[in-house]
Structures are given as C-alpha cells and as structure tokens.
Amino acid sequence: MKSTLFCFAAIAQMTLSSVSAESIQRIPLYYQKRTSGSDFISASAIDLKNGMLGGVVQIGNPPQNVTMAFDTSTGFSWVRGTQCCSENCQGRIAFDPNNSTTIVSPNQNFTMDYGKGIVRTNIYTDTFRFAGLTVKNMPFGGAYDMEGFEQGFDGYLGLGRDVNLNNSCTDIAKRDVPASGFVPNAFQQSSGLSSAQFGMYTTSSGNGFSETGFSQNGTTTVSNVSYSRSVAPGGYGIAKRSSSVDEPAGYLVIGGIDTDAIKGDLYHIDARNDGSESGNWAVSVNSVKFEDDLEFKISKDAKAVLSSSTDVIGLPNAQADEFQKRWYAEYDKPDNTFMIPCCLMDNLTSFKIKLGSIKATIPPHYWSHPRKVTSCCEMCRTHIGKSESDTDYIIGSAFTNSFYTQYNTDENKISLAMKKNHVDDGLELTQD
Ligand SMILES: *[C@@H]1O[C@H](CO)[C@@H](O)[C@H](O)[C@H]1NC(C)=O
Ligand SMILES: *[C@@H]1O[C@H](CO)[C@@H](O)[C@H](O)[C@H]1NC(C)=O
Ligand SMILES: *[C@@H]1O[C@H](CO)[C@@H](O)[C@H](O)[C@H]1NC(C)=O
Ligand SMILES: *[C@@H]1O[C@H](CO)[C@@H](O)[C@H](O)[C@H]1NC(C)=O
Ligand SMILES: *[C@@H]1O[C@H](CO)[C@@H](O)[C@H](O)[C@H]1NC(C)=O
Ligand SMILES: *[C@@H]1O[C@H](CO)[C@@H](O)[C@H](O)[C@H]1NC(C)=O
Ligand SMILES: *[C@@H]1O[C@H](CO)[C@@H](O)[C@H](O)[C@H]1NC(C)=O
Ligand SMILES: *[C@@H]1O[C@H](CO)[C@@H](O)[C@H](O)[C@H]1NC(C)=O
C-alpha cells in the first residue's frame, strides 16, 4: 500500500488521478491563491469562501466553464444564467443556455431556499464534465434570480441526495426531469465508478483551525492575527502557508472509500429519510454538550444536517441563546457566528455530539480562533452559530473538515473516520 504522503505528492502533480484498483476518483481540492490577487491555483478544484470547496465544471457543448461550490446540503445543482441580472448575480460567470447544442429545457422552474440565500431557476438538462467524469442529461437550474450568496463561485454542485424537480403545476408542457444528484448520476452512467458514494477530506497537520491561514488584503497571515471575515474569510481547518503552494487542501473522492486517507475505523450513521425531500444529508442527534459547561436538552426527534456550504456549527435557537449567555457572546448576524471575549477563549471546552450511535468530540481549537489581546473587551471568532430551527442542528465544515466524511447514496448512510495523519489533539470518534 502506498504511503499517504506519496499519494499526496503524486496527485498534486498529476492534477487528477484515478485509482484503478478501486475504481475511485480522487480529486485534489485547492485553496484560492491569495498572495497574488484573485487568481486561483490552476487545478481541478479550489477552495471558496468559509471553507467551501469547489471546482471548475464544464457544462454543455461546447463546454462552458463555471466554478461551482460543492454543497452536500442538497442534491440540486445550479449556476448563474445569462438571464440573471439581479445584484447578487453580478461578478459571476453566467451560463448561456442558448450556446449549448445539447441543452434540453423541460420548461420547469425550481426555487431552492437555503435559508441564508435563495435561488430561483429555470430547469435544464445538459452534459456536465468534472474531474474526468462526464454526466449526460444532468438536471440543473439556470438562475434567473439569486439573493444572499457570497462571491467566489458561479453556482453550486449538489452533492446531497436527489431532489424531486418534478414540482411544476404546469401539466401541459411538462417533461420528466431525471434524478438530480451528481454522484448517483455519474455512477449510473458508469464512468468506471464502483459505487455511488463519495467522500471528502481535507489534508491537515491535525491542528485544526489554529494554524489556518487567513487572508487579509492579499497577504496570508496566521490566525492569531485579528481578521475580519467580511473582508476576506477563509476559515478552513487546515495548515496552509503561502510557501507550500502545491499541496492540495483536500480531496473529493468519488466512487468509493479512500482507505489510504483513514486512520482506524470508518463509523457509520444511518441517514434520515425525512431529509430526502430537500435532498439533504441528515442524521439523528442523541445528545449535545459543551463538556463541563453546557448540556443541552435535545428534542425527541432532533436531527443534524451535514452541510458543506457553511463553516458554522448551528445550534437550535434556545441552545444558541444559552451558549451566548454562558460566554457573554455577541451574535454577528450577517456572519451567523458568535464572537466571544478573547480572554475567555481558554475557558472553552470540547463540543460533544452524539450522531446516531457515534460520539464525536471536537476540541475548541477546531471551532474558535483565539488570539493574543491586550484587553478583555476584544472579541474573538467562533464557528458556533444558529441553525434557525427550534430543534435541529447544522453541522458545517468546522465539524466535517475535522474528519474524513463519506456519503453513501445506495445504503443511505454517512460515515466518519479519523484522518490518516491525525495527531492526537483531543479530537475523538467513538461508537457505543
Ligand atoms: C475550461 O476548463 C478546461 C479544463 O479545466 C480548460 O482546459 C479550458 O481551457 C477552459 N476553457 C476556458 C474557455 O477557459
Ligand atoms: C436565448 O435566445 C432567445 C432567442 O434568441 C432569447 O429570447 C432568450 O432570451 C435567450 N435566452 C437567454 C437565457 O439568453
Ligand atoms: C454565447 O455565444 C455568443 C455568440 O457566439 C457569445 O458572444 C457569448 O460570449 C457566448 N456566451 C457564453 C457564456 O459562452
Ligand atoms: C419560469 O420563470 C420564468 C422567468 O425566468 C418565467 O417567465 C416563466 O413563466 C416561468 N415558467 C414556469 C413554467 O413557471
Ligand atoms: C419525475 O417524474 C417521472 C415520472 O413522472 C419519474 O420517472 C422521475 O423519476 C421523477 N423524477 C424525480 C427526480 O423524482
Ligand atoms: C485592509 O484594507 C482595508 C480597506 O482598504 C483597511 O481598512 C484595513 O486596515 C486593511 N487591513 C490590513 C490588515 O491591512
Ligand atoms: C502568533 O502568536 C505567537 C505566540 O503566541 C507569536 O510567536 C507569533 O509571532 C504570532 N504570530 C503573529 C503573526 O503575530
Ligand atoms: C475562566 O477560567 C478562569 C480560570 O479558570 C475562571 O476564574 C473564570 O471564572 C472562568 N470564566 C468563565 C466565564 O467561565
């Protein structure tokens, strides 16, 4: 078996590698290059705002290149269309349906409400090419209106479960829309994939957010320097310095499990079916606490939605209030995160959550940014926010990037494992 280090080095050079024995595609993901303007490191994937990962997807014939963020919160994919002129569409590459010879328009519209943002689209099907995979008749939305999305990408690639796009009440011109999930479609069209599952992991020295590189006005700095996320967010749990430009920030693994990237067991959690309508990956929550500080009362049917489109661990409303009181926190509404007086950062204790039968322990440095300060009034960032629900949780990249995460559409389950190179720092996964 190859050593992980060898794999990383080799893949970084090859851009894309297909591990033929297992028929999996291991696609390197890269950071946005912050040292020289807004260029991206030229590679098949890049990192986007707030820890979102993305890549260049080619849509249609001839192919139009768009940068899409990977989103596990739904199986719906969309891209800005040329017909979108609203303010939030500006500064994004637009997909022009008139320029593709293979496009089909089923004459349906679809609106996806992400809570923080909403996108209204005309549905099309066309060819998607990404990382050596070609998916024909892939359904997606061409946005004619969008609100509340951050800059840095042209659309979302839906890595969640299938969404039913047959929502139209217009019966006459209606045509059937195929299933929407990118990975199941890629698998069905058997581009050599051995299963309809995928995994994501970030490469990391195991130090979580405390070594994260953040961008300020074009220069990369380390996280004990104050930064403003409204200027240049980059919260992404990984050590990355401007000197090591070629190391991938992580991998998207399509078609199987990248066993070389895992240390110990892969723990499985059944995904909940009540989330399947929205296409999200949700699991049952059985207990949640901040060790020694706050033990929350969980509602009977509580669930957590795993979402790669946010960095935030979102608590239900009442629990978010408790967290805020306990830590004298300020709520930054646009950012949906709590800020805590910096002098209390050392008091924070691990976030512990039981998802199905799996217990995860996430030490504070994975979800907070302590820094040296001269007065206690200065506030420090966390990745704890609100889920905007009375019962349910959102598990964003501050959590998922800590682990190897695997999504299995066929068996309807999510799996978590420790990453191969993880150095013991209090991060834990156990199963009852
Ligand atoms: C689109 O992306 C492909 C693959 O990344 C690249 O080879 C091609 O030059 C790009 N085309 C344009 C017009 O940028
Ligand atoms: C495509 O072309 C038609 C006719 O030329 C035009 O009416 C329509 O607005 C165009 N659609 C887009 C999305 O640009
Ligand atoms: C569509 O085609 C027109 C005419 O060839 C061209 O001007 C335009 O840039 C194309 N749009 C895209 C998004 O490729
Ligand atoms: C879809 O949205 C467009 C606006 O882009 C609107 O003109 C059209 O009537 C809508 N079609 C359906 C089937 O709702
Ligand atoms: C849409 O409806 C057709 C039949 O009317 C069905 O075959 C297809 O699977 C449906 N698509 C989804 C995503 O449910
Ligand atoms: C970044 O730029 C803004 C506006 O140009 C400026 O106010 C701020 O001080 C700069 N920050 C740093 C760290 O240079
Ligand atoms: C970060 O803090 C460490 C000690 O806590 C200090 O040595 C280092 O210089 C700081 N880095 C920056 C960029 O201020
Ligand atoms: C933080 O920890 C210090 C030292 O352990 C303790 O004195 C203080 O009360 C704690 N503050 C809070 C708000 O928990």
Side-chain angles (χ1 to χ4, degrees):
M1 193 182 287
K2 287 172 288 187
S3 87
T4 311
L5 270 177
F6 171 79
C7 290
F8 286 179
I11 288 157
Q13 276 162 17
M14 283 160 23
T15 311
L16 169 69
S17 148
S18 150
V19 182
S20 52
E22 297 152 359
S23 294
I24 65 171
Q25 296 270 11
R26 193 190 283 117
I27 301 153
L29 309 174
Y30 284 86
Y31 277 104
Q32 191 171 2
K33 192 193 244 169
R34 302 198 194 276
T35 43
S36 61
S38 60
D39 289 354
F40 290 103
I41 293 169
S42 74
S44 58
I46 50 187
D47 109 304
L48 300 164
K49 297 218 155 190
N50 286 337
M52 283 195 83
L53 295 162
V56 175
V57 177
Q58 301 183 292
I59 305 179
N61 289 294
Q64 297 177 41
N65 289 5
V66 294
T67 300
M68 298 177 101
F70 303 145
D71 173 30
T72 59
S73 75
T74 142
F76 176 61
S77 301
W78 59 272
V79 63
R80 180 202 160 178
T82 41
Q83 64 272 46
C84 188
C85 302
S86 59
E87 202 188 337
N88 200 215
C89 285
Q90 304 307 313
R92 303 177 201 275
I93 290 173
F95 172 77
D96 189 343
N98 281 349
N99 284 20
S100 176
T101 56
T102 45
I103 198 154
V104 173
S105 172
N107 197 21
Q108 291 196 42
N109 292 350
F110 190 79
T111 295
M112 180 57 83
D113 189 347
Y114 293 89
K116 288 256 140 201
I118 186 162
V119 62
R120 298 181 181 86
T121 70
N122 308 131
I123 295 297
Y124 305 112
T125 66
D126 207 342
T127 307
F128 270 45
R129 290 184 186 83
F130 174 61
L133 301 171
T134 299
V135 179
K136 291 185 179 157
N137 305 317
M138 172 70 197
F140 67 103
Y144 61 87
D145 185 35
M146 54 194 284
E147 288 165 34
F149 292 94
E150 294 196 57
Q151 295 301 312
F153 52 86
D154 310 316
Y156 276 17
L157 185 68
L159 296 177
R161 295 187 285 177
D162 285 336
V163 175
N164 187 358
L165 301 174
N166 287 326
N167 67 330
S168 169
C169 321
T170 57
D171 34 18
I172 300 166
K174 185 178 141 184
R175 290 173 65 165
D176 293 345
V177 182
S180 68
F182 177 76
V183 176
N185 282 344
F187 172 59
Q188 253 164 34
Q189 298 185 19
S190 62
S191 334
L193 297 179
S194 57
S195 76
Q197 56 177 316
F198 68 95
M200 276 166 119
Y201 62 97
T202 55
T203 51
S204 145
S205 60
N207 285 327
F209 279 90
S210 57
E211 280 191 18
T212 303
F214 291 102
S215 165
Q216 281 190 320
N217 300 354
T219 49
T220 302
T221 56
V222 287
S223 61
N224 53 352
V225 175
S226 156
Y227 73 102
S228 157
R229 301 217 326 195
S230 59
V231 175
Y236 190 70
I238 238 184
K240 177 70 178 177
R241 298 190 186 84
S242 43
S243 56
S244 57
V245 168
D246 288 324
E247 191 199 345
Y251 293 90
L252 174 68
V253 179
I254 298 185
I257 299 163
D258 185 356
T259 47
D260 284 352
I262 291 175
K263 175 155 123 186
D265 294 330
L266 191 62
Y267 296 104
H268 307 294
I269 317 169
D270 288 332
R272 293 208 358 189
N273 283 321
D274 55 353
S276 57
E277 196 165 305
S278 62
N280 66 23
W281 289 100
V283 295
S284 293
V285 176
N286 292 314
S287 72
V288 180
K289 63 178 177 180
F290 287 89
E291 198 170 22
D292 307 336
D293 288 309
L294 295 167
E295 176 138 17
F296 296 126
K297 208 165 163 250
I298 303 292
S299 78
K300 198 169 115 266
D301 214 24
K303 65 179 184 220
V305 172
L306 275 73
S307 170
S308 63
S309 57
T310 178
D311 58 315
V312 167
I313 296 172
L315 304 176
N317 297 328
Q319 300 177 12
D321 289 347
E322 278 183 65
F323 181 86
Q324 180 165 15
K325 278 214 192 75
R326 172 65 183 87
W327 296 114
Y328 308 93
E330 274 171 17
Y331 181 56
D332 180 346
K333 191 155 193 278
D335 202 52
N336 186 27
T337 51
F338 287 109
M339 298 181 73
I340 292 178
C342 294
C343 57
L344 294 181
M345 294 304 261
D346 285 345
N347 293 42
L348 295 176
T349 55
S350 293
F351 176 68
K352 293 195 154 199
I353 186 163
K354 191 170 170 199
L355 303 169
S357 60
I358 295 177
K359 282 187 194 150
T361 302
I362 323 286
H365 66 271
Y366 284 87
W367 46 266
S368 66
H369 298 282
R371 57 190 165 94
K372 280 233 162 71
V373 291
T374 46
S375 95
C376 197
C377 319
E378 288 182 63
M379 303 299 274
C380 280
R381 286 276 167 201
T382 72
H383 292 272
I384 307 295
K386 301 184 183 181
S387 65
E388 306 286 348
S389 157
D390 286 333
T391 53
D392 300 336
Y393 298 78
I394 300 206
I395 298 292
S397 60
F399 180 101
T400 53
N401 284 354
S402 311
F403 301 107
Y404 178 99
T405 51
Q406 185 79 18
Y407 300 83
N408 190 326
T409 321
D410 292 338
E411 294 176 29
N412 204 28
K413 66 186 186 193
I414 294 167
S415 311
L416 299 173
M418 300 296 284
K419 289 188 273 189
K420 184 75 155 208
N421 291 331
H422 183 75
V423 178
D424 189 19
D425 62 354
L427 186 72
E428 280 176 21
L429 273 184
T430 57
Q431 187 155 31
D432 278 356

